[in-house]
Amino acid sequence: QVQLVESGGGLVQAGGSLRLSCAASERTRNSYDMGWFRQAPGKEREFVAAISRNGGRTFYADSVKGRFTISRDNAKNAVYLQMNNLKPEDTAVYYCAADRGVALSRTPQLYDYWGQGTQVTVSS
């Protein structure tokens, strides 16, 4: 069973920055695409960003393009989400997920493993 643990969430003012981290078990080192999703109260879980297993390809939701950057360090079994120019609408629980598929996906149902989530709150 692949284990994922998110960290780095917190409270920040609009326009500020946060960096989320996802620590993965050793099994994910080069076998999974990784994604970040978020879910706000009363809303469906939505795609944020994804990165291929070797870090060569990335994919972003339109709502975060130019503000968020996904990256990974396979030597450390870690995935990151750098979030800049945060807005109140970015407030949500952010989840790290792993996908063993052959192509990057923005569909949560296609991801195989999930972390517990970390809360990001952006004040106006």
Side-chain angles (χ1 to χ4, degrees):
Q1 187 86 351
V2 175
Q3 296 180 348
L4 305 172
V5 180
E6 303 94 335
S7 62
L11 176 64
V12 65
Q13 293 187 42
S17 299
L18 285 173
R19 191 190 194 205
L20 305 183
S21 297
C22 174
S25 64
E26 188 175 355
R27 293 171 55 189
T28 67
R29 55 186 174 84
N30 62 0
S31 298
Y32 294 87
D33 296 334
M34 303 296 295
W36 286 97
F37 292 78
R38 66 188 183 187
Q39 188 166 20
K43 297 184 178 181
E44 296 182 343
R45 187 167 299 187
E46 67 172 338
F47 170 79
V48 176
I51 188 167
S52 60
R53 57 200 66 194
N54 64 2
R57 293 179 293 124
T58 58
F59 182 42
Y60 296 91
D62 288 342
S63 60
V64 305
K65 285 182 178 178
R67 299 189 297 122
F68 291 10
T69 302
I70 188 171
S71 62
R72 69 189 300 166
D73 185 344
N74 286 343
K76 297 180 178 180
N77 297 315
V79 183
Y80 307 99
L81 185 68
Q82 178 66 46
M83 305 185 294
N84 297 326
N85 191 24
L86 284 161
K87 304 175 180 180
E89 50 263 45
D90 295 318
T91 295
V93 176
Y94 282 70
Y95 297 91
C96 177
D99 175 19
R100 65 188 297 273
V102 298
L104 296 183
S105 177
R106 61 183 297 156
T107 304
Q109 290 81 2
L110 296 181
Y111 284 77
D112 302 290
Y113 302 100
W114 295 82
Q116 82 290 346
T118 186
Q119 177 71 46
V120 172
T121 303
V122 184
S123 64
S124 58

